[in-house]
């Protein structure tokens, strides 16, 4: 387990645990978080090209507020590209899972409603959500928790309804090219019309192919900003037309300026919690 204090100077110091072995299910990343402070924590969520499951393991309930003012307490699923999401609580302890939307479609029930929102985990897993959460609470170590979560996700993925192979292929291409590939080209590669790709992709992933591509590119830009690169360099390296284009995309996805994203506490923990490209960008 490693500890990190966000560079932004936020009060929370995080103890972070990561799996000692790779996830058995491709497209899944896991990390355990414990806030080493009793003071209230308010953390803005930066959109990321994966569906995020936060399993609440703390003594006080985790509160997650969505961009529309809705408040969810306990374990939640945060979809792709939500805006204005905040996590709040005291003495936070949670297991965070990042799922490729290809995995999430099967493992979480194939619900595209989480495409851009926040949904309580119990709405997708029913009573099993509470049972799984209790097993994770009682586990003797983070590694045991990772094993329990991995087995549960694997079982649900095998029993769930998979996305179309064409949709999985397109998602993989978007990630590989960091969003810099034309949707028309992808439609031609899978032998579908643009309209059919748009419809099937949106229904199974939760976003249109174009917005998914923009999200993947934004994630690349956000991590470059957090690493200390200038906005001008990021705009050029991440494939934006110019710096103004970057500013517009950052504002659209994160609701703040590139400078604010560069200092986001949410991104400050990424190099520790999600150490490899396969974890940071689920395929």
């Amino acid at each position: 387990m490693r500890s990190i204090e966000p560079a932004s100077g936020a009060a929370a110091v995080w103890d972070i645990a990561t799996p000692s072995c790779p996830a058995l299910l491709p497209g899944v990343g896991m990390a355990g978080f414990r806030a080493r402070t009793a003071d209230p924590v308010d953390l803005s969520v930066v959109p990321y090209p994966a569906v995020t499951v936060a399993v609440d393991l703390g003594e006080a309930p985790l509160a997650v507020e969505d961009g529309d003012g809705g408040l969810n307490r306990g374990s939640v699923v945060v979809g792709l590209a939500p805006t204005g999401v905040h996590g709040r609580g005291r003495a936070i302890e949670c297991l965070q899972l990042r799922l490729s939307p290809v995995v999430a479609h099967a493992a979480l029930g194939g619900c595209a409603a989480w495409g851009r929102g926040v949904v309580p985990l119990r709405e997708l897993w029913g009573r099993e959500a509470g049972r799984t959460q209790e097993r994770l609470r009682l586990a003797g170590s983070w590694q045991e928790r990772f094993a329990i979560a991995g087995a549960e996700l694997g079982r649900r993925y095998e029993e769930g309804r998979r996305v179309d192979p064409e949709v999985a292929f397109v998602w993989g291409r978007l990630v590989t090219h960091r969003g810099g590939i034309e949707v028309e080209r992808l439609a031609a590669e899978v032998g579908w019309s643009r309209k059919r790709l748009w419809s099937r992709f949106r229904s199974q992933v939760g976003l249109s192919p174009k917005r998914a591509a923009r999200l993947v590119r934004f994630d690349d830009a956000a991590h470059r900003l957090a690493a200390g690169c200038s906005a001008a360099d990021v705009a050029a390296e991440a494939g934006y037309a110019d710096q103004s284009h970057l500013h517009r995309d950052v504002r659209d996805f994160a609701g703040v300026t590139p400078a604010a994203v560069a200092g986001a506490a949410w991104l400050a923990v990424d190099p520790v919690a999600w150490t490899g490209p396969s974890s940071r960008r689920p395929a």
Side-chain angles (χ1 to χ4, degrees), residues 44-47 82-84 218 222 248-257 261:
S44 297
V45 175
V46 177
T83 55
F218 161 78
R248 289 195 300 272
D249 243 27
V250 170
R251 176 69 66 178
D252 182 29
F253 282 108
V256 295
T257 65
V261 167

Side-chain angles (χ1 to χ4, degrees), residues 4 6-7 35 48-49 64 66 72 98 140 174 209-210 215 236 240 242 247 250 256 266 270:
I4 184 170
Y48 178 83
V64 180
D66 62 32
N72 298 277
R98 284 182 171 177
L174 290 175
K210 183 176 180 180
L215 172 61
Y240 289 93
D242 52 34
H247 276 255
V250 170
V256 295
W266 182 265
D270 270 23

Side-chain angles (χ1 to χ4, degrees), residues 132-279:
T132 301
Q133 179 174 306
E134 188 60 23
R135 288 181 63 203
L136 291 168
R137 284 181 188 273
L138 295 174
S141 68
W142 278 110
Q143 297 307 318
E144 185 179 349
R145 286 172 170 174
F146 296 141
I148 292 170
E152 182 66 17
L153 286 174
R155 179 182 69 81
R156 288 183 171 274
Y157 178 78
E158 291 301 323
E159 295 176 355
R161 184 175 180 180
R162 312 290 179 85
V163 302
D164 294 331
E166 294 85 353
V167 170
F169 174 82
V170 168
W171 174 261
R173 293 281 277 161
L174 290 175
V175 172
T176 298
H177 288 269
R178 298 181 180 178
I181 187 169
E182 294 293 331
V183 175
E184 288 76 10
R185 175 180 167 184
L186 293 173
E189 288 183 8
V190 298
W192 282 359
S193 67
R194 184 180 185 277
K195 181 178 180 180
R196 178 172 174 78
L197 173 59
W198 208 272
S199 174
R200 298 296 290 174
F201 191 96
R202 189 183 187 101
S203 69
Q204 295 179 16
V205 171
L207 299 177
S208 70
K210 183 176 180 180
R211 186 160 182 84
R214 289 180 57 210
L215 172 61
V216 172
R217 181 176 60 184
F218 161 78
D219 173 64
D220 182 44
H223 282 87
R224 290 176 187 270
L225 290 167
C229 298
S230 71
D233 287 344
V234 170
E237 294 167 359
Y240 289 93
D242 52 34
Q243 199 168 329
S244 295
H245 187 194
L246 169 66
H247 276 255
R248 289 195 300 272
D249 243 27
V250 170
R251 176 69 66 178
D252 182 29
F253 282 108
V256 295
T257 65
V261 167
W266 182 265
L267 294 180
V269 302
D270 270 23
V272 175
W274 318 101
T275 54
S278 61
S279 295

Side-chain angles (χ1 to χ4, degrees), residues 30-48:
M30 303 186 195
F33 295 88
R34 182 183 294 120
R36 209 186 324 142
T37 174
D39 296 331
V41 174
D42 186 339
L43 198 63
S44 297
V45 175
V46 177
Y48 178 83

